[in-house]
Amino acid sequence: MAKKARARCIGILTAGGDCPGLNAAIRGVAKAALHHDMKVIGILDGFRGLVENRTVPIEDMQVSGILTLGGTFLGSSRDKPHKMKMGDKVMDMTQVAIANARRLQLDCLVCLGGGGTQKNALHLHKSGGINVLTLPKTIDNDVALTDISFGYDTALGIATEAIDRLHTTATSHHRIIVCEIMGHTAGWLALGAGIAGGADVIMIPEIPYDLNVIAEHIRNRRHHGKRFSIIAIAEGAISKDEAKALAKGLKSGKKKVDPFSPSVDANGIHLVQEPMSSRVARQIQQLTGLEARVTSLGHVQRGGTPSPADRLLCTRLGTKAGELLMTGVYNVMVAVRGDECVAVPLEKVAGVVKFVPVNHPWVKTARLVGTCMGDVLGT
Ligand code: F6P
């Protein structure tokens, strides 16, 4: 990776959906940068703050005592520089963002975010030559070329605890409980929490499901005296028929649409979505004749204090970012490889989603303990 002059002034922003650990990561980057005598500027509300020129100076005081706090004190937004709602128009604000970064005399813009943020950061670099550096943040754990993203471990703990709690009530009432877990189009969170919480069925987007198989699995459990069932379903799970239709559409040249891109009404107002698990629970109740309930964990999974593992990870990633800035390595994402934090070219990360491989060791593990993955009967 080509080295340039070391950074003397950096901007930090947090973009996309928030998650526990963002403050810890800001702290890690800022403390390491301040240690190397850099000027640190906080940019508010993601890329929108850069466009609208809303910033705060960051000194040691601003990042003291925030290691354990959830959310991000800088605020976040899902705004993209090239497609930003400005009043009642959607505009390309790329050049405004770049001009503001230059006016602030940023040697590098540090962007903390998930898949969308990696793309937006690369876009700014390519459109105006400004230096960027990113950190992988998302409870979905779907950022490419890193073993793990921060936020995942905390969300995994929250979702696992929820499954534990659902177990006791499902057992008492002999019910099926369908627990919807976030993860966007990837199944890492549902799979991890499903295994850790001992879910009886795990449904992830990478393994399209057949409801008849799931109903049969639940009936078999009943037959063996197990009168309750917990289903961990990823919000992006799709049926075999839906997967076929999707593949057919893609083959015939239809553009892949993001099923989670916010739906808005004619006035651009966000429309609240129903959890998809309601439909699945209704169908399973019909197929089995057994009572089903739904729990959609939603944003609970993104709230609150980061786990110790996430605090450690954020501090490692943040301080590694400081080291790279000090040595003039830019336009990379700081990734995790085993015990190391390494720089990977942003170009190779942006636009690539890390899905669960269908033969991943976790999937094999789940099947070996008799969990039904929705495609074939579990034991
Ligand atoms: O990417 C993180 C995530 O929490 C996804 O798991 C989920 O699909 C999405 O964000 C929800 O986004 P929002 O907070 O905009 O509703």
Side-chain angles (χ1 to χ4, degrees):
M1 254 156 273
K3 284 190 185 177
K4 297 184 183 174
R6 61 154 288 191
R8 300 206 172 270
C9 173
I10 62 161
I12 306 179
L13 63 78
T14 53
D18 74 335
C19 75
L22 274 168
N23 281 325
I26 298 169
R27 171 183 175 271
V29 178
K31 287 213 174 209
L34 292 168
H35 173 82
H36 292 303
D37 290 325
M38 292 177 210
K39 180 178 173 187
V40 183
I41 300 173
I43 295 159
L44 302 176
D45 301 335
F47 293 101
R48 179 167 288 277
L50 186 60
V51 166
E52 295 176 352
N53 212 359
R54 290 185 287 113
T55 62
V56 285
I58 296 186
E59 305 279 358
D60 192 59
M61 271 309 282
Q62 280 72 41
V63 288
S64 278
I66 65 168
L67 175 65
T68 59
L69 298 183
T72 158
F73 84 94
L74 292 175
S76 189
S77 73
R78 291 202 177 274
D79 292 301
K80 306 175 176 103
H82 60 287
K83 247 191 201 171
M84 197 170 285
K85 194 157 188 278
M86 304 298 291
D88 55 2
K89 285 193 189 129
V90 174
M91 295 171 67
D92 183 349
M93 303 303 284
T94 306
Q95 291 309 321
V96 177
I98 290 168
N100 283 343
R102 291 202 194 289
R103 199 188 43 75
L104 291 166
Q105 299 189 319
L106 302 184
D107 295 317
C108 186
L109 176 67
V110 180
C111 305
L112 279 49
T117 304
Q118 311 299 328
K119 284 199 264 182
N120 291 329
L122 184 65
H123 170 73
L124 285 185
H125 167 62
K126 284 192 163 172
S127 311
I130 62 167
N131 294 319
V132 294
L133 187 143
T134 64
L135 262 59
K137 164 244 62 163
T138 172
I139 66 164
D140 304 337
N141 198 31
D142 61 352
V143 175
L145 298 186
T146 182
D147 292 354
I148 190 164
S149 297
F150 68 84
Y152 176 72
D153 183 74
T154 310
L156 180 64
I158 297 169
T160 303
E161 196 200 330
I163 295 177
D164 290 348
R165 289 177 184 275
L166 291 175
H167 255 110
T168 59
T169 171
T171 317
S172 308
H173 288 270
H174 319 301
R175 283 174 175 155
I176 299 167
I177 298 192
V178 180
C179 178
E180 182 172 323
I181 296 171
M182 278 187 169
H184 200 230
T185 54
W188 294 105
L189 200 50
L191 179 60
I195 295 172
D200 308 298
V201 180
I202 301 177
M203 299 160 74
I204 61 172
E206 293 86 348
I207 303 179
Y209 62 81
D210 177 342
L211 281 184
N212 292 309
V213 168
I214 294 170
E216 180 68 12
H217 180 77
I218 291 170
R219 278 194 295 264
N220 284 349
R221 281 176 52 78
R222 194 101 178 156
H223 188 68
H224 289 97
K226 298 179 180 175
R227 298 177 63 198
F228 72 94
S229 290
I230 301 287
I231 302 179
I233 180 168
E235 62 178 350
I238 52 170
S239 68
K240 288 191 174 176
D241 289 344
E242 286 165 333
K244 262 189 217 149
L246 201 70
K248 206 171 153 199
L250 289 179
K251 243 188 185 168
S252 64
K254 259 196 195 157
K255 220 180 133 206
K256 193 170 182 181
V257 285
D258 180 350
F260 299 97
S261 65
S263 315
V264 290
D265 69 10
N267 301 314
I269 307 291
H270 178 257
L271 295 170
V272 176
Q273 304 288 308
E274 297 303 325
M276 55 80 91
S277 46
S278 306
R279 173 174 51 94
V280 169
R282 206 171 39 245
Q283 289 169 328
I284 289 178
Q285 179 164 305
Q286 274 162 9
L287 286 170
T288 59
L290 302 170
E291 201 179 20
R293 292 284 191 276
V294 180
T295 299
S296 180
L297 300 181
H299 293 80
V300 167
Q301 296 158 106
R302 289 207 333 225
T305 307
S307 66
D310 266 332
R311 294 178 205 180
L312 175 60
L313 177 60
C314 291
T315 309
R316 288 169 56 210
L317 288 168
T319 51
K320 179 69 184 185
E323 192 185 305
L324 294 170
L325 293 164
M326 179 61 194
T327 47
V329 177
Y330 307 117
N331 310 315
V332 293
M333 179 183 82
V334 190
V336 184
R337 294 281 164 76
D339 281 342
E340 299 288 327
C341 288
V342 296
V344 293
L346 190 50
E347 188 103 39
K348 292 199 172 159
V349 176
V352 185
V353 180
K354 183 180 78 177
F355 291 110
V356 177
V358 291
N359 56 356
H360 190 273
W362 293 8
V363 174
K364 288 187 187 162
T365 292
R367 292 195 196 277
L368 283 171
V369 291
T371 310
C372 173
M373 294 298 301
D375 53 343
V376 287
L377 278 181
T379 48

